[in-house]
Amino acid sequence: MDLPPEQQSVEVEGTDGARRTTLSSEIIARQYPDVTTVYESFLRGVKLSGDSPCLGTRDPISKKYTWLTYNQVHERATFVGAGLVALGCEPSQQTFIGIYGPNRVEWALTDLGCQMFSMISVPVYDTHGAEECIYIINHANLSTIVCNEDKVPLLLEKAQLCKELKNLIKIGSSVTQEEDKKAKDMGLNLISMTNLEDIGKESYQERKPAKPEDILTVCYTSGTTGPPKGAILTHANLVADISAYRWTMHQAGFELTTEDVHLSFLPLAHMYERINHLNLFVSGGRIGYYSGDVKQLLEDCKELKPTIFTPVPRLLNRIYDKIMSEVSKSKLKKWIFQMALKSKENDLKRQIISKNTIWDHLVLRKIQSLLGGHVRYMPCGSAPLSAKVTTFIRCIMGCHLTEGYGQTECTAAATFQLFNDVTTAGHVGPPVPCNIIKLVDVEEKEYYAKNGQGEICLKGPNVFKGYLHDPKKTAETIDEDDWLHTGDIGEWLPNGTLKIIDRKKNIFKLSQGEYIAPEKIQNVYLRSPFVAQAFVIGNSFKSFLVAIIVPDAEVIEAWAKKNEVEGDVKQLCQDEIINKVIFEDILAKGREGDLNSLEQVKKIYLHPEMFSIENGLLTPTFKAKRSEILKTFKDQIERLYEEVETGN
């Protein structure tokens, strides 16, 4: 394997310091001449693997995977699209089709069916509750939704709140008499997916495939600080992003082939998994869907034996913790394991990644079998992964692991670690060759581009067209020179790779990829009479929140006196009973304020002194100095995380 370039990105003249990958002086927007749309990428897969497996489902009884071939998927998706047209959906860019449910074959069939008839798919997260679901239905003016069987009761119950809703397509089972009656009483047409395909088969329509500039999907981002925003993405956006990604891999001699297998478990409503599908389709590879229960994910892996596994950091952290916990049970086992790990680390330094060493056969094979034993590549995204875990997984699993950075608004990836850069970690690589990246000053946080730090801004054919029905938010995100402002703060490292170091606004991402707005949570917790000040902490390497709470001295002293707890405010802040009372009260206020489980803190530290301008923890406008507070309470925060993780 060739060594990665020592300088992985270079400045582009006339762009105010923007950088591009050193691998290409040109923008890569298309890899194959005959693949200009997402549908054409699937057609390439059909040419490569027509009668070979395409989409697989794990049978709940036999536990084996059953497969549809590329030709069968193509035919059934055509029937789905034609069936939608027969229901009255115009085959044009004026038609938006909702998809509401978990990853499964019918999800992909619907998406492909929309592509064949120039319609626009609008995914709704399987985990969305009624409020978010209704908002998206109304905001996108959805008249037709393809939904999983477990979503039908919710949609029937809330249908009167959905102003344009006309058609419900039920995935998974036939329509019951009770459901049919309830739907008709509400003026809705409810049919099963099987019936839709039958309708499409009987009233076959000539395909009217989308063009590159046509909209493929409206992907709603999480509405952490307000309602969800619908990001408009075109076929050309996705083709550019996946082409640049694959072109970069090609430079290192890596190719996806018809023999590759992907386990699909990350939500298809997220662009990351949509891109994963596209990557396998254009290669003629196989996609097997997980059984629907994340707790059974390793069992799915053992049966499917994926070659491509796309984890999120939280899952890799769990694997790391599980392995280290297991080997620590015996001094001998730990010693042997450390010997194996050291040997593999030495191989890594020499650019060698393998599953065929003596240590693999004697020690590591059982661990590798957790993911089926055949994984050769792990692209990882959505949140930072520690350098320690990155190196560990590369060694133990004997596979390539690369991290990337991006967001829905740039389709998926904006940067990615080079495939042949196996010795470095702690960064997200150089720009992908479909976009350039510049850093812009963030004066209020003292990040300056001249120092190689600032807000990450990018430009290229993978950048979205804006937010649906929201020109104001679009203008706030894409400036007049077409630069996408991400809100993330990055730093250029000496080798030209990018490191994510902060957020411009007080929003952070947990390890499972969920965005959290701490000020929203703090405002809810301040409703507690015990709380004078609240400071919520999140960490991209952790899956939960903790908080620093400054109690209201008068209230806490009065409660202590009434309940015969002795001490001054400083002593009361160290009292376990007081901590428990305040903790339970803020959780109650959180439930009253409709905070979800991820927004509720897991543990609190009580601090007796108010944050102030004088002690350097508040700005002159009385806003919390987040960086100073994190620095001041570094030890306490680390202890809170440790106590939660160890159950103390």
Side-chain angles (χ1 to χ4, degrees), residues 573-591:
C573 282
Q574 297 172 5
D575 190 282
E576 290 184 7
I577 295 174
I578 296 294
N579 189 295
K580 182 179 180 182
V581 167
I582 296 177
F583 181 62
E584 290 179 350
D585 194 64
I586 65 171
L587 291 186
K589 295 298 183 289
R591 290 189 291 271

Side-chain angles (χ1 to χ4, degrees), residues 230-392:
I232 301 169
L233 291 159
T234 67
H235 284 261
N237 287 149
L238 270 78
V239 169
D241 206 58
I242 197 67
S243 294
Y245 170 76
R246 291 170 63 90
W247 186 90
T248 302
M249 302 292 282
H250 175 75
Q251 304 312 301
F254 178 84
E255 307 284 354
L256 287 177
T257 74
T258 57
E259 300 301 313
D260 277 306
V261 186
H262 166 61
L263 176 63
S264 176
F265 67 96
L266 299 175
L268 269 165
H270 195 291
M271 288 311 301
Y272 183 28
E273 186 58 22
R274 297 280 285 281
I275 283 288
N276 289 335
H277 269 55
L278 178 56
N279 207 4
L280 270 291
F281 282 159
V282 80
S283 305
R286 284 180 284 160
I287 300 169
Y289 294 105
Y290 83 120
S291 56
D293 183 356
V294 176
K295 294 177 182 177
Q296 299 297 316
L297 195 61
L298 296 183
E299 293 301 317
D300 294 333
C301 280
K302 289 177 182 177
E303 179 59 35
L304 185 65
K305 297 179 174 52
T307 61
I308 311 297
F309 187 71
T310 54
V312 290
R314 187 183 184 191
L315 178 60
L316 295 183
N317 290 337
R318 282 182 176 178
I319 291 173
Y320 172 84
D321 292 339
K322 182 177 180 179
I323 293 170
M324 295 309 295
S325 173
E326 183 64 31
V327 300
S328 296
K329 291 178 180 179
S330 158
K331 287 185 178 180
L332 177 61
K333 185 183 289 187
K334 185 175 181 179
W335 180 76
I336 294 173
F337 180 80
Q338 291 296 343
M339 289 279 288
L341 181 60
K342 186 67 177 175
S343 175
K344 297 281 283 189
E345 286 175 344
N346 289 333
D347 284 347
L348 199 63
K349 291 173 183 176
R350 294 182 289 132
Q351 300 285 113
I352 298 172
I353 291 181
S354 169
K355 286 186 176 66
N356 295 317
T357 70
I358 187 68
W359 293 110
D360 289 299
H361 292 290
L362 295 178
V363 179
L364 303 177
R365 189 69 73 213
K366 185 177 180 181
I367 296 173
Q368 292 163 4
S369 69
L370 288 173
L371 299 180
H374 292 260
V375 175
R376 68 188 185 108
Y377 179 45
M378 289 188 191
C380 186
S382 86
L385 187 63
S386 73
K388 176 179 68 176
V389 173
T390 298
T391 300
F392 180 88

Side-chain angles (χ1 to χ4, degrees), residues 559-574:
W559 188 95
K561 186 176 180 180
K562 183 179 178 180
N563 291 274
E564 300 181 343
V565 178
E566 297 181 354
D568 58 18
V569 172
K570 189 172 183 179
Q571 291 169 322
L572 292 175
C573 282
Q574 297 172 5

Side-chain angles (χ1 to χ4, degrees), residues 36-89:
T36 66
T37 67
V38 176
Y39 177 46
E40 287 174 350
S41 73
F42 177 75
L43 289 180
R44 185 175 188 274
V46 173
K47 290 179 183 176
L48 292 170
S49 302
D51 288 323
S52 296
C54 176
L55 300 179
T57 302
R58 195 173 181 202
D59 186 274
I61 298 173
S62 70
K63 305 298 183 183
K64 302 294 183 184
Y65 273 87
T66 58
W67 295 90
L68 292 175
T69 67
Y70 270 83
N71 286 331
Q72 289 171 330
V73 169
H74 193 203
E75 181 179 61
R76 286 186 59 184
T78 303
F79 295 155
V80 169
L84 291 171
V85 174
L87 289 185
C89 300

